[in-house]
């Protein structure tokens, strides 16, 4: 009897422990073509998922009691797609009022109710990098999310223990913001000066606090605490990965010089349309690039672009990912990856790595996701055709072994919260704001905010 | 000896009365408006002393601002004004957990011409926690009366502003000559909201969350140092004098509660996130979306005032050939509406004790909203608790108000029937022992509108609206087609006319709303008031902006009909 009580208690403990964390599931996918990314493509293979992790990969695996079995015959399973540049699921994007806002964080504005999350799931995406916008030189910290749609608690979407990352921005966007506000930076020179000034200030701050902490006590004046400086210090100490919005080769090269001077190593260039011009330099620095497949010419600094960017970077040994930066593109990142085969003849594996393993590395989560390996998270996407085929349609999407999208049982209206005062006619598949949210909240002051001080 | 003592006692009593009456004379009121007595006895009434505690045929005596006695066997003081309470119901006065009642919105600060947007001056940034709502309170504010009319006697009033407008205070909703006379508890809370500075830092939630952490953390450090300095300043440099940081000290010490204006699910979660991270006492006010927050509220030990503002009930299309998709969407929208109504009963049954806040709610809709909430599952007792004793406990004023117990402040409502019945009306409200009478119009024949009433209403009216932007004049024209009332109102400055929605005219009370376009946004203006003879006297309000102002109208003389006589 005592034993029984004990085991019940243990059961309770486990149950309460698991509800405090994200939900995990069990599933067996039978007889599918498994694109592992790290270990080739395996025909007629089974994947067993237990407690949200990939438990076994093999043939003739049996489903343990109570575990759902999915017939994968003729279907393709790949690691869940990872978008290293996204602005869905965020209720604010820019704190563009100041040109250095390292203290702000996208984790504060995660919006689990955004229906764009479901649309991304329907495109096989399981993780995104919710980024701060590009209105300022040093923007806010980003947040890496798992698209666990259906929960109303933003904490449930957090990618547990993902490293912290931060947004930087160079070129036209931050200088446009500077000019419109009459503050620094108003030119590319100002951007560099601002970066160097910020890190130099952070070094002073670091010293002040180190001195205070050495002889800490009530009777010593504490230096002023600054969350902004704390964050910059963490960047200098290598604890935060930098993701920098950039286009031109000269500014990409400039940032690498600045980072070399301050000893900062972990760097990914976002967009980086001219990265192909400095690909060997990127490889030497060890910087990554997260780019569009073939999107450009939407402003002057984005004219000198090529669809061969991905291939050139990859062949030069630069870890490269393809991102969406859009609530629409995110639904077919597998098509975007496929374009790198037309322009540059990358292999299937190289192409698919650009939307799985490579972005996982850029976000520091490659120990958990990005490939199909035993022990990794069961974040999986099932397609009816090879995902690089133009005919490929995503069928199911799993995160931690839980199915979040199934084309078979797809319901039209996926909204979680509905405004009772909304009019029915307003429901739209896509609105203009789903595109290009990089500069959202940056310059715009609406009437409501003004009046309702 | 005993006799002598008795005599001395009587003498002193006599002298006391003389002194008292002299004092009374000194305060004589040349306007003749002050009440003849400050003692009231309401007899033979049904008294709901506290939720669930009913006294039938009871008497309530209020004297000099306090409840003197209550019960069935109560002696009535000689100086009492006796009020026959037969058929009347007495309730404890309602308590508003968070509103702007009595506060006057200060002029919006102009954008400084040389604004340095990354670091604007504190008052433009909206970071003024050292201020107090007391400085914004204007005893003539109409919001005091409009809340009192619907039974509220106490309000936790917070200041207008942006991110950190200042301290809130608990005030009595009485007529007073001076702000000080309204104050029940001064500067009890630190009020804060997700309201960024236009085009300057912090501009939105991102900056506000970061700024909050920064201020709080600095205050935590500085407070320790300031304490050490005050103990023994010798050899220490003076602590920096920063009123913003100092305003956080009582919050850091958990001596002062943070009241977060958290309207939506996400805002509430963000406020709780700050609380969990920084560790302060948190009360959410103005919450409209609480149903998914039960666990988070409980785990974080957060207090809640639920908003009395409800969404309008969705109107499903009456078209017969609507598609299945539209039917589905309408159903989901109605479910979402019901979610708003059901949450009150659900949250209560899951162990959350909440009060109500009226911020953002239109006062004339509050009773109807309460009835809808009750219909959706909150018991009448729980609703009354939320309006009275629970709110008092959450505000820490339960020893002075919240029930009709002897010794508490004379805050009471006298209703013509059980309050939660649709047709009952508030006849009288006592605040701080002062009596306020309201004219109760008898329903003529049920709820119907008599023909004569409507004859007054229909036609053209000339209105004068004292908007915050200045006086505006125009016309409103009300018509009846079949059984349906409709109308339009003209807008100034050549803007197109607006159609009147939700037009209602019952027993001389007219209400409607209409939308105007302002700066590319649709703004809903609600008009409510009474028609007496050919005059309309009412109030216009925009709940989005917590703004209200007076509007009057006069019926235009009908075109003369020439009577043909021969």
């Amino acid at each position: 009897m005592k034993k029984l009580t004990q085991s019940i208690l243990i059961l309770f403990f486990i149950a309460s422990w698991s509800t405090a964390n994200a939900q995990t599931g069990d599933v067996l996918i039978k007889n599918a073509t498994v694109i592992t990314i790290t270990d080739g493509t395996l025909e007629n293979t089974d994947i067993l998922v237990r407690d949200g992790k990939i438990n076994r990969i093999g043939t003739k695996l049996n489903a343990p009691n109570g575990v759902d079995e999915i017939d994968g015959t003729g279907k393709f399973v790949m690691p869940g797609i990872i978008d290293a540049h996204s602005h869905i699921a965020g209720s604010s994007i820019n704190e563009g009022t100041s040109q250095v806002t390292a203290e702000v964080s996208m984790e504060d504005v995660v919006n689990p109710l955004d229906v764009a999350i479901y649309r991304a799931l329907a495109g096989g995406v399981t993780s995104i990098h919710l980024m701060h916008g590009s209105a300022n030189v040093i923007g806010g910290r980003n947040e890496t999310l798992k698209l666990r749609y259906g929960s109303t608690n933003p904490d449930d979407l957090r990618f547990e223990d993902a490293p912290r990352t931060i947004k930087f921005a160079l070129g036209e966007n931050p200088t446009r913001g500077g000019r419109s506000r009459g503050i620094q930076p108003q030119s590319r020179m100002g951007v560099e000066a601002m970066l160097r000034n910020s890190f130099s200030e952070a070094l002073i701050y670091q010293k002040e606090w180190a001195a205070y902490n050495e002889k800490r006590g009530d009777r010593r004046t504490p230096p002023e605490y600054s969350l902004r400086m704390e964050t910059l210090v963490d960047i200098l100490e290598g604890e935060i990965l930098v993701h920098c919005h950039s286009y031109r080769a000269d500014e990409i090269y400039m940032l690498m010089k600045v980072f070399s001077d301050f000893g900062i190593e972990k760097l990914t260039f976002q967009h980086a349309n001219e990265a192909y011009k400095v690909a060997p330099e990127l490889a030497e620095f060890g910087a990554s690039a997260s780019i569009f497949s073939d999107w450009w010419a939407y402003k002057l600094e984005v004219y000198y672009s090529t669809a061969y960017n991905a291939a050139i970077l990859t062949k030069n040994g630069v870890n490269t990912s393809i991102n969406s930066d859009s609530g629409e593109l995110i639904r077919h990142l597998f098509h975007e990856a496929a374009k790198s085969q037309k322009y540059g003849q990358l292999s299937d594996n190289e192409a698919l790595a650009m939307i799985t393993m490579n972005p996982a590395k850029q976000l520091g989560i490659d120990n958990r996701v990005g490939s199909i390996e035993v022990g990794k998270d069961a974040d999986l996407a099932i397609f009816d055709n090879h995902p690089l085929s133009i005919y490929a349609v995503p069928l199911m999407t799993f995160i931690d072994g839980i199915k979040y999208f199934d084309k078979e049982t797809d319901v039209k209206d996926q909204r979680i919260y509905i405004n009772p005062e909304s009019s029915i006619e307003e429901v739209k598949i896509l609105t203009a704001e789903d595109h290009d949210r990089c500069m959202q909240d940056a310059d715009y002051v609406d009437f409501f905010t003004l009046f309702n001080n | 000896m005993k006799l002598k003592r008795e005599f001395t006692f009587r003498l002193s009593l006599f002298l006391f009365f003389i002194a008292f009456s002299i004092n009374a004379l000194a305060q004589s009121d040349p306007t003749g408006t002050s009440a003849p007595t400050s003692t009231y006895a309401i007899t033979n009434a049904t008294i709901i002393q506290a939720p669930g505690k009913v006294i039938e045929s009871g008497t309530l005596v209020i004297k000099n601002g306090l409840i003197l006695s209550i019960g069935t066997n109560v002696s009535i003081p000689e100086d009492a004004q006796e009020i026959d309470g037969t058929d009347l119901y007495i309730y404890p006065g309602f308590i508003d957990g968070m509103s702007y009642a009595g506060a006057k919105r200060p002029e919006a600060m102009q954008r400084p011409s040389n604004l340095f947007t990354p670091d604007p001056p504190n008052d433009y940034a909206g970071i003024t926690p050292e201020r107090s709502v007391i400085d914004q309170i204007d005893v003539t504010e109409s919001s005091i009366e409009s809340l009192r009319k619907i039974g509220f006697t106490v309000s936790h009033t917070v200041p207008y502003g942006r991110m950190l407008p200042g301290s809130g205070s608990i005030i009595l909703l009485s007529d007073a000559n001076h702000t000080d006379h309204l104050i029940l508890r001064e500067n009890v809370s630190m009020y804060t909201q997700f309201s960024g500075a236009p085009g300057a830092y912090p501009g939105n939630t991102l900056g506000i969350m970061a700024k909050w952490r920064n201020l709080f953390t600095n205050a935590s450090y500085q407070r320790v140092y300031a304490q050490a300095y005050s103990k023994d300043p010798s050899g220490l440099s003076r602590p920096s004098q920063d009123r913003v940081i100092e305003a956080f000290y009582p919050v850091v010490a958990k001596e002062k509660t943070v009241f977060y204006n958290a309207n939506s699910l996400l805002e509430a979660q963000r406020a709780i996130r700050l609380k969990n991270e920084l560790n302060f006492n948190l009360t959410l006010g103005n919450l409209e979306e609480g149903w998914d927050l039960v666990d988070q509220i409980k785990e974080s030990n957060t207090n809640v005032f639920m908003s009395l503002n409800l969404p309008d009930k969705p109107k499903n299309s009456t078209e017969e050939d609507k598609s299945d998709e539209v039917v589905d969407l309408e159903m989901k929208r109605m479910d979402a509406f019901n979610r708003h109504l059901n949450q009150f009963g659900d949250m209560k049954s899951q162990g959350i004790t909440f009060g109500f806040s009226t911020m953002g709610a239109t006062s004339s809709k509050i009773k109807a909203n309460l009835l809808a909430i009750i219909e959706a599952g909150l018991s009448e007792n729980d609703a009354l608790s939320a309006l009275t004793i629970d709110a008092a406990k959450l505000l820490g004023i339960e020893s002075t108000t919240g029930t009709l117990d002897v010794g508490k402040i004379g805050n009471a409502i006298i209703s013509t029937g059980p309050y939660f019945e649709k047709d009952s009306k508030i006849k009288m409200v006592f605040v701080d022992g002062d009596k306020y009478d309201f004219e109760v119009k008898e329903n003529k024949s049920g709820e119907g509108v008599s023909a004569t009433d409507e004859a007054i209403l229909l036609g053209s009216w000339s209105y004068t609206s004292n908007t915050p932007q200045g006086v505006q004049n125009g016309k409103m024209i009300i018509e009846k087609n079949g059984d349906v009332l409709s109308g339009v109102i003209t807008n100034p400055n050549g803007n197109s006319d607006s159609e009147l929605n939700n037009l209602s005219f019952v027993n001389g009370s007219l209400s409607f709303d209409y939308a105007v376009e302002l700066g590319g946004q649709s703004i809903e203006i609600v008009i409510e008031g009474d028609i007496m003879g050919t005059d309309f006297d009412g109030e216009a309000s925009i709940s989005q902006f917590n703004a209200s102002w007076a509007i009057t109208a006069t019926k235009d003389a009908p075109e003369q009909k020439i009577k043909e006589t021969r």
Side-chain angles (χ1 to χ4, degrees), chain A residues 1 60 115 141 160 195 207 262 282 286 302 333 363 392:
Chain A
M1 189 60 204
K60 293 182 184 150
V115 75
R141 273 167 289 142
E160 309 81 7
L195 286 165
K207 270 189 203 139
F262 286 92
L282 282 167
V302 207
L333 276 169
L363 303 179

Side-chain angles (χ1 to χ4, degrees), chain A residues 91 103 225 227 417 421 453, chain B residues 161 201 214 218 270 292 312:
Chain A
S91 37
E103 70 279 14
Y225 172 86
L227 192 48
Y417 269 36
E421 292 181 343
N453 55 345
Chain B
Y201 188 88
N214 217 67
N218 262 315
R270 287 163 192 160
D292 282 322
D312 290 336

Side-chain angles (χ1 to χ4, degrees), chain A residues 274-289 306 308-320 344 346 350 354 358:
Chain A
E274 289 186 18
Y276 63 93
K277 292 182 179 175
V278 285
E281 288 81 358
L282 282 167
E284 194 192 330
F285 186 93
S288 301
T306 170
Y308 288 89
N309 201 15
I312 293 170
L313 288 165
T314 303
K315 295 300 180 199
N316 274 280
V318 178
N319 178 37
T320 305
L346 292 185
E350 283 172 326
M354 287 198 294
N358 296 357

Side-chain angles (χ1 to χ4, degrees), chain B residues 13-28:
Chain B
L13 204 66
F14 179 65
L15 286 172
F16 171 76
F17 273 113
I18 295 218
F20 189 79
S21 51
I22 288 169
N23 188 36
L25 276 175
Q27 284 188 346
S28 93

